[in-house]
């Protein structure tokens, strides 16, 4: 495997890791506040559709992004009302959101665009294009650093950089601010927050809302940056892989980055069977490569996580006791 | 500082309004009247005790004061002005701090983080933490409350955790401190330390409300005491002018025997012989680290210790629902510690009866009726069977008789277990287990959450069983109970037996040291200090 292939592989890793990273951080906020969210998948899917649809109708991808975030936020609000206000079962609410999103997107897509449940292909301003960072072209011919900068670091859409920036931002918010302290506390022992005179409900809604925004961006990325338009079930289990990455990352932002990059790498390998062939010296079935991210999810969860302690109050509605 | 204190004291003496005054507080939950027209005055700079049985309404009253519940009727006056307390925030603002029975701490946060939680200055943590660190030093100096600000809560003992709770209240500038059953989880030495701290707080002008069901604590620490019974405040008296017997009578509504009357034990053969018993939990932690114990016929062996030092595991493995290694013999024949013959049924067949520590989770099915609960574990008995089916009529009849003999109120076999009070639930379990004429009775926390009247009855039953020549292994975190009932006392700490004592040749102080892992040589033996 030559250097350029490696750079291309990593470049593709980064692009595929971005939606996982955003969804993983979304789950991190929610679960750190004690609200389990298996509806990441559904929120991403809804956001993917609405951002593509609105971008297609308006021709402006930024309006599309806002629509995607809005759709995801609406589902988040549903999850919040069910699991925070009415203290329902968080898993059931999440499953319901996944089903709702899977059915609703195709239905509306068919009714609006009549293209078999997809949106028209997005072009021009209706899509996030790669950004060429300053100096990328000038450096492109410099050995070693040139390809690294021009191919790997430069040339991604703005959402990739936003996702990467979200990692230190999340870390800072969680560990350096009052909001983060309270958020972590409410996921560990909501009674401690309640007796301290802070609203458990308010904090959990805030966390769920942040989760909605990040899922919205993740979904928009799928349909307006990674691909050019919405197709049925395009989130393809990424919400669940993000949840696996979240456990693998032990609910920490920097670990989330590494975990999602790892899953991104599995995804990238799928598209480059030649790389695998040259490394292990034999041909691998393409079906197997396609299943690789999912297989690795199971393997990692089963064996490599070690002791991952979830937030102690996770999944339990808070009921004030005497 | 002494001048300052004098000034403070004079100021307090001069002010005539009570720190807290409740006027006619009533609160009902559905048909249950938890608080009925309660009025109380607590003067500043005093320790006021509130004593009462479980369900007497103490916690409800304090929850109203801390803004968890809204009273149906009545007024709260703080320092002479009428105050509305709709939520905890308002209670904190009114200068009320609460130390709950179950601590409200975040286990994986540091002491400092727990203290500032909800009382941060500004959006960023750094300045808040720095300020709290400075304040903590001052508080430590003022009140003798030393803690390591950077320790994680999960790494410090319960005594320290409680100190953090007190510091939390003081950090929020509480002048009125409410402590709900504060000594439940403490060793006697830790409890003494807590009371010294409370005295110090009092001398600095703080007002303290101490909620407890332990008469001794009331007598030793409080200035005044209020007694609650069935949602009503039955009396408020000066502690110096009352006695434990009078308070017990006020709590229960009749005269109560506080001591246990018993003859000297007549020892028989060794019934239970334990050698080198070990238990490893599912996290791989060794919970029992080689236990050697013997219980003879006709004696009560009391196991003392702070909760969580292996007593539960001991009961579980002997009761047949945890695996262990080592050698255990019952009447000379070995007992299986793993495998098919290590379950509750096999244990019962061998003559072991078990009254588990947590009656609501292990002893009863709360949704089931009393007669169903009475049959559990004995449902294969011939008198409960009619061919392949259960003879429900016979079980109900038998249950009615048992309820009569054990004074279970109400004596209705068709009432669900959850509808009985704690004491009556315990009587149902006790009747089921000891009426089978077992050779060995395992009994854990027989009177936890049980009112004084029922405690008396349960203790009499245990002594009566002993006098019939049965062997009894008693586990209790209540040292008074251990001292009152046991013929021999073994103290457990960190999965080991620290020593055995005769109840008439020891005292709470010596046992307390053993419970903290300190043996005669004066050295702490294990790393798990408190």
């Amino acid at each position: 495997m030559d250097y350029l292939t490696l750079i291309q592989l990593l470049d593709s890793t980064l692009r595929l890791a971005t939606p996982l990273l955003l969804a993983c951080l979304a789950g991190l906020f929610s679960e750190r506040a004690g609200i389990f969210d298996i509806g990441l998948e559904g929120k991403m899917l809804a956001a993917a559709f609405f951002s593509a649809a609105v971008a297609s109708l308006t021709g402006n991808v930024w309006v599309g992004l806002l629509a995607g975030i809005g759709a995801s936020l609406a589902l988040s609000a549903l999850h919040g009302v069910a699991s925070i206000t009415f203290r329902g079962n968080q898993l059931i609410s999440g499953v319901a959101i996944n089903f709702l999103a899977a059915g609703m997107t195709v239905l509306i897509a068919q009714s609006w665009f009549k293209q078999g449940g997809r949106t028209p292909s997005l072009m021009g301003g209706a899509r996030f294009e790669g950004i060429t960072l300053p100096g990328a072209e000038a450096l492109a011919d410099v050995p070693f650093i040139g390809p690294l900068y021009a191919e790997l670091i430069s040339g991604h859409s703005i959402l990739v950089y936003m996702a990467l920036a979200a990692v230190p931002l999340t870390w800072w918010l969680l560990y350096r601010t009052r909001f983060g302290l309270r958020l972590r506390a409410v996921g560990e022992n909501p009674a401690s927050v309640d007796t301290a005179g802070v609203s458990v409900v308010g904090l959990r809604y805030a966390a769920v809302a942040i989760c909605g925004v990040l899922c919205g961006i993740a979904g928009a990325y799928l349909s307006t940056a990674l691909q050019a338009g919405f197709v049925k079930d395009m989130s393809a289990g990424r919400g669940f892989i993000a949840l696996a990455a979240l456990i693998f990352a032990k609910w920490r932002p920097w670990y989330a980055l590494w975990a999602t990059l790892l899953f991104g790498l599995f995804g990238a390998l799928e598209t480059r069977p030649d790389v695998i062939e040259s490394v292990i010296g034999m041909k691998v079935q393409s079906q197997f490569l396609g299943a690789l991210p999912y297989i690795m999810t199971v393997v990692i969860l089963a064996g490599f996580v070690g002791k991952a302690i979830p937030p102690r109050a996770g999944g339990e509605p808070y009921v004030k006791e005497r | 500082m002494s001048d300052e204190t004098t000034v403070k004291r004079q100021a307090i003496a001069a002010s005539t309004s009570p720190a807290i005054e409740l006027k006619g507080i009533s609160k009902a939950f559905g048909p249950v009247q938890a608080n009925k027209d309660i009025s109380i005055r607590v003067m500043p700079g005093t320790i006021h005790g509130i004593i009462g049985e479980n369900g007497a309404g103490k916690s409800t009253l304090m929850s109203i004061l801390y803004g968890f519940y809204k009273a149906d009727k009545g007024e709260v006056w703080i320092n002479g002005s009428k105050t509305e307390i709709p939520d905890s925030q308002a209670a904190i603002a009114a200068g009320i701090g609460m130390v709950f029975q179950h601590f409200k701490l975040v286990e994986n946060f540091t002491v400092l983080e727990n203290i500032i939680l909800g009382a941060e200055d500004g959006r960023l943590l750094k300045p808040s933490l720095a300020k709290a660190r400075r304040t903590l030093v001052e508080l430590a100096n003022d009140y003798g409350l030393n803690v390591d600000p950077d320790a994680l809560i999960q790494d410090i003992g319960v005594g320290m955790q409680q100190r953090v709770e007190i510091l939390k209240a003081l950090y929020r500038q509480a002048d009125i401190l409410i402590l709900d059953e504060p000594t439940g989880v403490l060793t006697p030495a830790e409890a003494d330390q807590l009371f010294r701290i409370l005295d110090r707080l009092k001398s600095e002008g703080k007002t303290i409300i101490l909620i407890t069901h332990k008469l001794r604590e009331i007598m030793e620490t409080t200035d005044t005491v209020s007694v609650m019974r069935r949602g009503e405040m039955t009396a408020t008296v000066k502690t110096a002018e009352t006695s434990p017997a009078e308070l017990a009578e006020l709590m229960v509504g009749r005269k109560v025997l506080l001591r246990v009357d018993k003859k000297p034990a007549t020892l028989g053969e060794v019934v239970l012989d334990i050698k080198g018993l070990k238990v490893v939990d599912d996290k791989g932690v060794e919970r029992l680290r080689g236990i050697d114990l013997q219980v003879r016929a006709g004696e009560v062996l009391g196991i003392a210790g702070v909760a969580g030092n292996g007593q539960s595991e001991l009961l579980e493995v002997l009761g047949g629902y945890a695996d262990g290694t080592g050698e255990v013999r019952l009447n000379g024949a070995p007992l299986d510690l793993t495998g098919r013959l290590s379950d509750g049924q096999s244990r019962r067949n061998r003559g072991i009866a078990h009254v588990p520590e947590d009656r609501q989770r292990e002893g009863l099915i709360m949704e089931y009726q009393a007669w169903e609960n009475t049959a559990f574990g004995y449902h294969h008995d011939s008198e409960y069977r009619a061919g392949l089916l259960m003879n429900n009529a016979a079980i109900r009849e038998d249950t009615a008789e048992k309820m009569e003999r054990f004074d279970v109120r109400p004596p209705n076999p068709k009432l669900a277990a959850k509808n009985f009070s704690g004491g009556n639930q315990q009587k149902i379990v006790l009747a089921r287990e000891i009426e089978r004429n077992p050779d060995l009775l395992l009994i854990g926390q027989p009177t936890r959450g049980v009112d004084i009247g029922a405690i008396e009855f349960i203790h009499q039953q245990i002594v009566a069983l002993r006098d019939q020549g049965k062997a009894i292994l008693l586990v209790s975190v209540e040292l008074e109970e251990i001292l009152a009932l046991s013929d021999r006392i073994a103290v457990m700490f960190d999965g080991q037996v620290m020593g055995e004592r005769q109840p008439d040749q020891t005292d709470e102080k010596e046992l307390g040291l053993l419970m903290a892992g300190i043996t005669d040589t004066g050295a702490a033996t294990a790393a798990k200090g408190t």
Side-chain angles (χ1 to χ4, degrees):
Chain A
M1 183 168 60
D2 58 63
Y3 182 60
L4 202 60
T5 314
L6 179 70
I7 291 289
Q8 283 167 357
L9 191 67
L10 292 179
D11 179 66
S12 150
T13 296
L14 191 57
R15 280 190 295 114
L16 291 172
T18 295
L20 295 178
L21 178 58
L22 286 164
C24 189
L25 292 175
L28 191 146
F29 274 103
S30 185
E31 301 210 347
R32 273 294 182 124
I35 303 293
F36 283 164
D37 192 354
I38 58 168
L40 297 176
E41 176 82 5
K43 287 199 274 273
M44 276 168 86
L45 190 62
F49 168 70
F50 280 100
S51 52
V54 172
S56 156
L57 293 173
T58 61
N60 185 333
V61 70
W62 289 99
V63 181
L65 175 67
L66 284 181
I69 291 174
S72 174
L73 266 176
L75 292 179
S76 273
L78 196 63
H79 189 51
V81 169
S83 59
I84 304 169
T85 304
F86 292 108
R87 303 189 188 118
N89 186 304
Q90 297 169 9
L91 294 182
I92 292 176
S93 165
V95 170
I97 284 170
N98 288 339
F99 279 127
L100 181 65
M104 176 183 73
T105 47
V106 179
L107 184 75
I108 302 176
Q110 181 59 23
S111 139
W112 285 2
F113 302 106
K114 311 259 187 305
Q115 294 188 9
R118 19 171 97 227
T119 60
S121 281
L122 302 176
M123 277 170 290
R127 207 183 156 212
F128 283 109
E129 302 286 352
I131 301 171
T132 308
L133 294 183
E137 274 161 32
L139 276 171
D141 294 330
V142 180
F144 193 74
I145 301 175
L148 184 74
Y149 185 71
E151 289 284 328
L152 179 56
I153 299 177
S154 171
H156 294 288
S157 81
I158 181 85
L159 297 184
V160 174
Y161 301 111
M162 278 167 70
L164 290 175
V167 176
L169 194 66
T170 301
W171 175 85
W172 179 81
L173 204 58
L174 275 186
Y175 296 103
R176 286 292 179 269
T177 69
R178 174 175 72 186
F179 174 72
L181 184 79
R182 293 175 175 185
L183 187 86
R184 285 182 290 134
V186 87
E188 291 288 333
N189 184 359
S192 70
V193 173
D194 194 19
T195 51
V198 181
S199 164
V200 172
V201 169
L203 274 171
R204 288 191 160 172
Y205 266 108
V208 166
I210 295 173
C211 170
V213 170
L214 289 171
C215 269
I217 301 174
Y221 175 82
L222 288 181
S223 62
T224 63
L226 196 61
Q227 290 170 34
F230 173 86
V231 292
K232 177 174 184 279
D233 289 338
M234 77 180 303
S235 49
R238 283 189 178 85
F240 296 107
I241 293 178
L243 277 182
L246 182 59
I247 297 171
F248 193 38
K250 301 185 175 174
W251 292 269
R252 293 178 193 176
W254 283 106
Y255 288 15
L257 175 62
W258 310 132
T260 50
L261 282 174
L262 185 66
F263 281 109
L265 179 65
F266 296 140
L269 285 173
E270 180 191 342
T271 59
R272 295 296 299 263
D274 56 309
V275 173
I276 297 199
E277 214 178 313
S278 72
V279 170
I280 65 169
M282 58 182 275
K283 200 167 158 49
V284 183
Q285 290 273 325
S286 66
Q287 287 89 341
F288 176 77
L289 288 178
L292 193 62
Y294 306 97
I295 293 171
M296 290 316 290
T297 304
V298 174
V299 170
I300 283 176
L301 284 185
F304 292 90
V305 176
K307 203 171 169 223
I309 302 169
R312 280 183 184 78
E316 289 167 20
Y318 178 61
V319 182
K320 206 174 262 203
E321 57 176 318
R322 280 203 249 179
Chain B
M1 194 189 93
S2 64
D3 283 351
E4 225 175 273
T5 316
T6 324
V7 172
K8 258 189 199 164
R9 280 209 183 124
Q10 283 164 350
I12 290 157
S15 75
T16 46
S17 55
I20 298 180
E21 183 166 16
L22 303 179
K23 294 180 179 173
I25 297 278
S26 291
K27 173 77 187 172
F29 296 101
V32 182
Q33 191 75 34
N35 285 163
K36 239 178 285 176
D37 192 27
I38 289 188
S39 297
I40 183 176
R41 289 160 64 96
V42 180
M43 298 310 286
T46 63
I47 300 185
H48 184 96
I50 295 186
I51 194 164
E53 299 189 336
N54 287 299
K58 304 178 301 245
S59 295
T60 304
L61 189 64
M62 290 307 121
S63 296
I64 289 170
L65 201 48
Y66 199 64
F68 267 18
Y69 292 140
K70 200 181 174 314
D72 300 336
K73 258 192 296 186
E75 293 173 358
V76 177
W77 291 64
I78 307 282
N79 295 323
S81 53
K82 188 166 180 283
T83 311
E84 294 291 336
I85 305 180
D87 52 30
S88 306
Q89 192 77 61
I92 294 166
I96 299 173
M98 182 114 174
V99 177
F100 291 89
Q101 187 177 3
H102 304 288
F103 305 144
K104 310 292 183 192
L105 298 171
V106 183
E107 292 264 310
N108 57 358
F109 277 18
T110 64
V111 167
L112 215 51
E113 286 172 328
N114 268 289
I115 284 175
I116 64 166
L117 180 65
E120 308 89 342
D121 307 272
R123 291 180 182 284
L124 295 181
L125 286 185
K126 224 174 192 169
S128 308
L129 287 168
K131 186 193 151 200
R133 195 180 289 275
R134 286 194 303 273
T135 313
L136 216 52
V137 174
E138 285 167 28
L139 289 173
N141 290 339
D142 287 354
Y143 303 108
L145 286 160
N146 288 304
V147 286
D148 172 8
D150 298 312
L152 291 178
I153 295 298
Q154 61 202 17
D155 296 338
I156 61 178
V158 279
M160 272 296 171
Q161 293 182 358
Q162 189 172 58
R163 209 174 264 198
V164 175
E165 284 284 16
I166 295 174
L167 283 166
K168 250 167 83 178
L170 295 175
Y171 186 74
R172 288 158 172 76
Q173 296 172 344
D175 284 319
I176 300 160
L177 213 54
I178 304 170
L179 294 102
D180 189 6
E181 300 282 2
T183 60
V185 289
L186 302 182
T187 63
E190 286 173 326
D192 285 344
Q193 214 167 14
L194 170 69
F195 292 133
R196 276 200 297 279
I197 290 167
L198 294 186
D199 269 337
R200 182 84 172 263
L201 289 168
K202 178 174 102 166
S203 69
E204 298 284 329
K206 305 284 184 194
T207 308
I208 293 160
I209 296 184
L210 179 68
I211 302 170
T212 180
H213 66 278
K214 292 181 185 170
L215 291 166
R216 197 178 61 114
E217 288 169 7
I218 291 285
M219 297 308 296
E220 282 175 11
T221 50
T222 62
D223 298 305
T224 47
V225 53
S226 297
V227 184
M228 288 188 73
R229 170 153 49 100
R230 289 184 197 160
E232 286 178 274
M233 196 69 90
T234 49
T236 296
V237 289
K238 281 206 166 62
T239 312
E241 294 166 6
T242 185
S243 67
E246 186 192 4
L247 288 178
E249 197 180 330
L250 285 167
M251 273 164 76
V252 183
R254 64 180 169 82
K255 281 215 183 302
V256 181
L257 196 60
L258 288 176
R259 278 178 311 106
V260 179
D261 265 340
K262 59 174 191 182
K263 307 185 296 227
T266 333
L267 295 188
E269 296 292 310
V270 174
V271 172
L272 181 70
D273 190 5
I274 305 174
K275 283 203 184 79
L277 178 62
K278 291 186 180 182
V279 169
V280 179
D281 70 9
D282 42 10
K283 286 184 196 135
V285 180
E286 206 170 46
R287 305 311 295 263
L288 289 185
R289 313 197 300 170
I291 298 281
D292 299 314
L293 285 173
Q294 281 192 337
V295 193
R296 289 173 174 277
E299 81 166 339
V300 177
L301 173 67
I303 308 278
V306 180
N309 278 291
Q311 305 99 308
S312 305
E313 287 78 7
L314 179 64
L315 284 179
E316 283 168 13
V317 74
L318 290 176
Y321 52 104
D323 288 346
T325 55
E327 196 189 340
V328 178
R329 288 175 173 272
L330 186 75
N331 294 322
L335 209 60
D336 286 333
L337 298 179
T338 54
R340 201 173 54 80
L341 285 178
S342 171
D343 62 8
Q345 192 62 50
S346 308
R347 291 288 196 269
R348 290 198 170 88
N349 294 341
R350 292 286 299 272
I352 299 178
H354 187 182
V355 178
E357 288 186 295
D358 188 341
R359 63 178 158 272
Q360 303 199 340
R361 276 182 43 221
E362 297 166 345
L364 296 166
I365 297 183
M366 301 306 283
E367 304 296 324
Y368 279 27
Q369 297 173 8
W371 68 273
E372 293 170 306
N373 274 300
T374 302
F376 283 137
Y378 301 99
H379 47 280
H380 292 304
D381 286 13
S382 53
E383 68 263 34
Y384 281 177
R385 282 208 330 230
L388 279 174
L389 303 175
M390 295 209 313
N391 186 348
N392 291 352
I395 301 175
R396 274 197 283 267
E397 199 176 310
D398 186 45
T399 303
E401 278 172 33
K402 284 198 172 87
M403 291 175 109
E404 190 72 45
R405 273 201 298 282
F406 277 77
D407 190 28
V408 178
R409 279 178 246 179
N412 177 5
K414 290 190 178 175
L415 203 61
K418 64 177 178 191
N419 294 329
F420 290 94
S421 74
N424 285 307
Q425 288 171 359
Q426 187 72 321
K427 285 180 190 172
I428 293 173
V429 180
L430 204 62
R432 175 179 75 206
E433 299 297 332
I434 71 181
E435 290 267 297
R436 296 289 154 154
N437 197 25
D439 292 336
L440 170 68
L441 174 69
L442 309 170
I443 184 163
Q445 319 299 349
T447 57
R448 178 186 277 168
V450 168
D451 11 305
I452 287 194
I455 289 177
E456 191 186 10
F457 181 85
I458 290 167
H459 282 176
Q460 283 165 358
Q461 293 301 316
I462 293 172
V463 171
L465 197 68
R466 176 198 80 148
D467 291 343
Q468 289 168 32
K470 309 299 182 190
I472 295 168
L473 182 78
L474 163 76
V475 169
S476 176
V477 292
E478 300 286 345
L479 216 39
E480 281 176 65
E481 181 166 76
I482 291 281
L483 280 165
L485 289 176
S486 307
D487 299 307
R488 201 150 49 85
I489 299 170
V491 183
M492 281 185 70
F493 171 75
D494 199 20
Q496 288 173 307
V497 174
M498 299 306 293
E500 289 189 13
R501 297 287 185 274
Q502 295 296 325
D504 49 0
Q505 287 163 20
T506 187
D507 53 26
E508 296 206 358
K509 198 172 159 223
E510 189 190 19
L511 294 176
L513 287 174
L514 286 172
M515 282 161 70
I518 299 162
T519 51
D520 297 336
T521 53
T525 51
K528 191 190 165 189
T530 38

